[in-house]
Amino acid sequence: MNKRIFHVLEFDKIISQLMEQAASSLGVEQARALLPSTDFDQVVKWQDETDEAFHILRLKGHIPLGGIVDIKPSVKRAAIGGMLNPQECLDIASTIYGGKQLKYFFDQLEDVEAPIMEELADQIVPLNELEREIKNCIDDHGHMMDGASDKLRGLRSKIRTNENRVRDKLDHITKSKSKMLSDAIITIRNDRYVLPVKQEYRSAVGGIVHDQSSSGATLFMEPQSVVEINNELQATKAEEKNEIERILRELSQRIADDEAFLMQNVDALSKLDFITARAKLSHQMKASRPTMNDHGMIKMKQARHPLIEPDEVVANDVELGEDFSAIVITGPNTGGKTVTLKMVGLCTLMAQSGLQVPALDGCQLAIFSNVFADIGDEQSIEQSLSTFSSHMTNIVDILGHFDSSSLLLFDELGAGTDPQEGAALAMSILDYVIEKGARVIATTHYPELKAYGYNREEVVNASVEFDVQTLKPTYRLLIGVPGRSNAFDISKRLGLSDQVIAKAKEQIGADSKSVENMIASLEDSRKKADADYEQAHNILEETAQLKRDLEKQWRQLEEQREAIYKKAEEKAEKAVAKAREEAETVVSELRNMKTETEWKEHEWIEAKKLLNEAQPDLSKKEKKKAPTIDEDKAKTLKPGDEVKLLTLDQKATVIEQTGKNEFQVQVGIMKMKAKRKDLLFVRRDEPKMEKPLATVRGAHYHVKPELDVRGERYEDALQQLEKYIDDALLAGYGKVSIIHGKGTGALRKGVRAFARKHSKIAGARDGGMNEGGLGVTVLELS
């Protein structure tokens, strides 16, 4: 893609905004190097990455990227034997820690699907030992700590002791010879403790002169009594420096040993930071993901120029490449034609760079092999080119390099020369590029091009709206309506006399008048259609709201009816229970009053059964529809079937079949014969089937098709899982469910890892809506 287009469409400003969203210099460098791609699969992958990060930011609010530094130069220097300084080591430890935090964040991410970013996070190696070694030696300010080694601790202690000895001696001299000093302070020159001595007392104090004041009146002297201690102090400090260098060399070697892992971490962190920066820019622009295509179709709803302030920009709908391959936009200056042109081109470059575009959801953008633009007054004084020559130079270059998969943007095509020749040239250029199959958007002032779109199927007219009442453009793009000059209307509102305007109208031809009238009619029709659409949309919204309100009221009525029915059922059950209790009491008293000869035991049982059957079934459950007489005649009766004896209107039980159409039945305590036509089948007690046990080589395995490991420790859960899978395989199950819950996600990941390693597990997936969702993993056994 040509580099000039980035400057013309101000793509470099988008890159600058993207760089500001990066959390580290790693992301900044990736953003700076970003260029649009012409590879369809690559662009789709970039859009997938940005969309994943966008959803994570929307749901989680952030992606932790703190503490990450570009440590590649330091790691490379350590790998070739260089010694890193404490700050470089600390940056490496900070980056290791930042990588661990990011890895943990994605390990705990359960309610967002982000396979691309999770795969990148899995590449991060948590170098805990290296991080610990660096943190044990260097503090947060980049200073080597005393505990870095036993020798360093001893040397630091010796340094402090010698410093205290020097200070004590100098404090004594300061107090005893204060008159000889310019100031009663202890200072340092050449890393040695000295006193500010007056010039005239040099001999009285004695010692080594290290410096003097600018006036020469004060000498900074090291008294002889502290020279030896200072010497010892300097020697100890030299040892301290050597020990620090030794520790740094060891740390540098440890870093060199982990060079491959560190570089892998940096690469993953760099990509994650860059992806997150793209998503942050989308949130800032209130952008949405475009659906990419490779057949030159652009379809954007309420698209906005990304570099214009949100409270100033006007959103527009743009379509190109489906019903027509070229748009010719006409209208007044400062009406927004050029902004529309740049917006389409810039959104295309952004989409092909993996960035989301400021438009409503569902927008579609094409991947073009090249985007060309001739926009603005690019007159070159140095080259002595006129406006027309400058434009034509660019157009000639474009026509020499474009192809059928290019997007061409022409601003004021054919301007800067004789209007008649310019219009003819513009139409010829448009015909040429349209014939080659390219997608074109052009702006123009020429009235001849207003009729151009009506004569060619591949071209559509468009205009930017102008409010004659306010004499200001509305910046709204109207597809299908060419622009008109509005010169007479504007002049009249500005005060030009009607006589002059009428004379001017006489000067223009009939064709021009008819075209202007046609355009005015189209504008009126468009405005009326827009008003009708808005009214219809409002009515649809009101209807939808009314439907939602009615559904809500219906649900409330159903709930109330259910509550009333349940309350009545409970009340009826209590009444029946009370009646049974009272009846049983009465029967018990009667039984005590009668002898066994008068009351048979089976009579008491039958009476109690009839009492139980007297309880009404008030359940709301749907009753099974009783069979009709005709349907029942085809039913074969068997002993034990419950039937209804129609002649007595009583329930009975079939004992046996005594003839072709005759059965012996029992009604209460009575046995009698009845014809088949007098018996209505009620129900049959089906024998209960015992659940078969899985059998392997004569042994029975009582194995459920699911295992619940919620609340178990990680190791215990995996042990149970391993044994359970063995039992399930022996039982011959083809599929089992492992219930692990959502929680922190550790058990879920453990189950997935176990499934991948087990040779008898063919696959693993999350449970469906009716299987437990993300809290369950379903294993396919082979």
Side-chain angles (χ1 to χ4, degrees), residues 340-452:
T340 301
L341 214 62
K342 286 188 172 183
M343 182 266 290
V344 174
L346 187 53
C347 285
T348 297
L349 296 181
M350 290 173 63
Q352 291 186 221
S353 302
L355 302 175
Q356 297 185 347
V357 297
L360 295 183
D361 288 338
C363 61
Q364 299 182 50
L365 284 168
I367 295 177
F368 294 102
S369 62
N370 249 314
V371 178
F372 296 99
D374 176 56
I375 297 176
D377 185 3
E378 300 181 14
Q379 181 177 348
S380 173
I381 297 175
E382 291 82 359
Q383 297 176 2
S384 301
L385 296 176
S386 66
T387 301
F388 177 74
S389 299
S390 177
H391 280 293
M392 286 310 302
T393 300
N394 293 332
I395 292 172
V396 169
D397 182 64
I398 291 171
L399 296 182
H401 293 90
F402 86 100
D403 57 24
S404 60
S405 58
S406 297
L407 173 65
L408 279 61
L409 307 171
F410 295 121
D411 188 29
E412 299 300 341
L413 184 61
T417 186
D418 176 75
Q420 191 171 358
E421 292 181 357
L425 193 59
M427 287 187 283
S428 178
I429 292 171
L430 289 174
D431 284 339
Y432 179 73
V433 296
I434 292 170
E435 184 181 346
K436 295 290 185 180
R439 301 294 184 263
V440 189
I441 303 179
T443 69
T444 182
H445 275 109
Y446 294 136
E448 290 84 354
L449 268 72
K450 295 177 183 179
Y452 177 80

Side-chain angles (χ1 to χ4, degrees), residues 471-531:
L471 302 182
K472 292 181 180 179
T474 65
Y475 303 106
R476 289 185 62 231
L477 181 68
L478 305 176
I479 300 289
V481 180
R484 56 194 182 107
S485 65
N486 299 303
F488 295 145
D489 294 332
I490 295 172
S491 299
K492 185 175 181 179
R493 289 192 59 81
L494 291 175
L496 191 64
S497 68
D498 293 340
Q499 182 180 358
V500 174
I501 293 174
K503 189 69 174 177
K505 287 182 177 180
E506 293 175 1
Q507 304 300 319
I508 63 174
D511 291 342
S512 297
K513 289 181 181 178
S514 63
V515 169
E516 290 296 319
N517 292 335
M518 178 189 69
I519 294 173
S521 176
L522 284 172
E523 285 186 357
D524 292 340
S525 299
R526 176 64 178 262
K527 290 178 180 178
K528 186 177 184 302
D530 288 345

Side-chain angles (χ1 to χ4, degrees), residues 688-707:
K688 294 182 179 180
M689 299 294 292
E690 291 291 331
K691 185 176 181 180
L693 301 176
T695 306
V696 179
R697 296 178 183 175
H700 296 285
Y701 289 85
H702 298 266
V703 183
K704 293 182 178 180
E706 62 185 26
L707 174 65

Side-chain angles (χ1 to χ4, degrees), residues 464-727:
V464 285
E465 192 178 48
F466 189 88
D467 191 337
V468 180
Q469 302 300 318
T470 62
L471 302 182
K472 292 181 180 179
T474 65
Y475 303 106
R476 289 185 62 231
L477 181 68
L478 305 176
I479 300 289
V481 180
R484 56 194 182 107
S485 65
N486 299 303
F488 295 145
D489 294 332
I490 295 172
S491 299
K492 185 175 181 179
R493 289 192 59 81
L494 291 175
L496 191 64
S497 68
D498 293 340
Q499 182 180 358
V500 174
I501 293 174
K503 189 69 174 177
K505 287 182 177 180
E506 293 175 1
Q507 304 300 319
I508 63 174
D511 291 342
S512 297
K513 289 181 181 178
S514 63
V515 169
E516 290 296 319
N517 292 335
M518 178 189 69
I519 294 173
S521 176
L522 284 172
E523 285 186 357
D524 292 340
S525 299
R526 176 64 178 262
K527 290 178 180 178
K528 186 177 184 302
D530 288 345
D532 291 344
Y533 173 81
E534 186 174 353
Q535 182 182 5
H537 180 73
N538 292 337
I539 293 173
L540 181 62
E541 285 291 322
E542 292 174 2
T543 305
Q545 184 61 45
L546 180 61
K547 179 176 180 290
R548 288 192 291 269
D549 293 342
L550 289 173
E551 288 176 346
K552 182 179 178 181
Q553 292 175 13
W554 178 260
R555 286 194 299 270
Q556 290 175 349
L557 286 172
E558 284 290 310
E559 291 171 0
Q560 291 174 5
R561 189 165 72 92
E562 179 70 22
I564 293 171
Y565 198 98
K566 186 175 181 181
K567 187 175 180 181
E569 183 180 16
E570 291 174 352
K571 186 175 180 181
E573 286 178 350
K574 289 179 181 178
V576 171
K578 184 177 179 181
R580 182 191 293 114
E581 195 175 314
E582 292 175 353
E584 286 184 349
T585 301
V586 173
V587 170
S588 178
E589 291 176 355
L590 288 171
R591 186 173 186 179
N592 291 333
M593 294 170 59
K594 298 291 182 180
T595 64
E596 286 296 326
T597 56
E598 294 176 289
W599 295 93
K600 304 292 184 182
E601 184 64 27
H602 66 270
E603 293 176 343
W604 291 108
I605 294 173
E606 183 65 25
K608 193 170 183 178
K609 179 180 178 183
L610 292 173
L611 180 63
N612 289 336
E613 290 176 352
Q615 181 175 354
D617 183 10
L618 300 178
S619 173
K620 272 197 69 179
K621 294 179 181 177
E622 185 180 354
K623 300 289 189 295
K624 290 185 178 178
K625 185 180 178 182
T628 64
I629 298 296
D630 292 335
E631 291 172 340
D632 185 74
K633 288 180 180 178
K635 187 77 174 180
T636 302
L637 298 181
K638 296 180 179 180
D641 287 352
E642 185 176 331
V643 295
K644 185 175 183 181
L645 185 56
L646 298 177
T647 55
L648 298 178
D649 195 24
Q650 292 289 329
K651 289 184 178 179
T653 303
V654 177
I655 298 175
E656 61 178 349
Q657 185 171 358
T658 56
K660 183 177 181 182
N661 291 312
E662 186 179 82
F663 293 83
Q664 186 179 30
V665 297
Q666 182 166 348
V667 183
I669 59 174
M670 298 184 300
K671 294 182 180 179
M672 58 184 297
K673 292 183 179 180
K675 297 293 184 181
R676 176 65 182 89
K677 62 182 179 65
D678 298 324
L679 299 176
L680 183 63
F681 176 82
V682 176
R683 67 183 179 87
R684 176 179 297 157
D685 291 328
E686 297 292 342
K688 294 182 179 180
M689 299 294 292
E690 291 291 331
K691 185 176 181 180
L693 301 176
T695 306
V696 179
R697 296 178 183 175
H700 296 285
Y701 289 85
H702 298 266
V703 183
K704 293 182 178 180
E706 62 185 26
L707 174 65
D708 191 345
V709 294
R710 289 176 293 183
E712 299 288 344
R713 292 176 63 251
Y714 184 86
E715 293 79 10
D716 295 339
L718 291 185
Q719 288 180 1
Q720 292 182 30
L721 176 60
E722 185 174 7
K723 182 179 182 304
Y724 172 75
I725 292 300
D726 291 340
D727 291 343

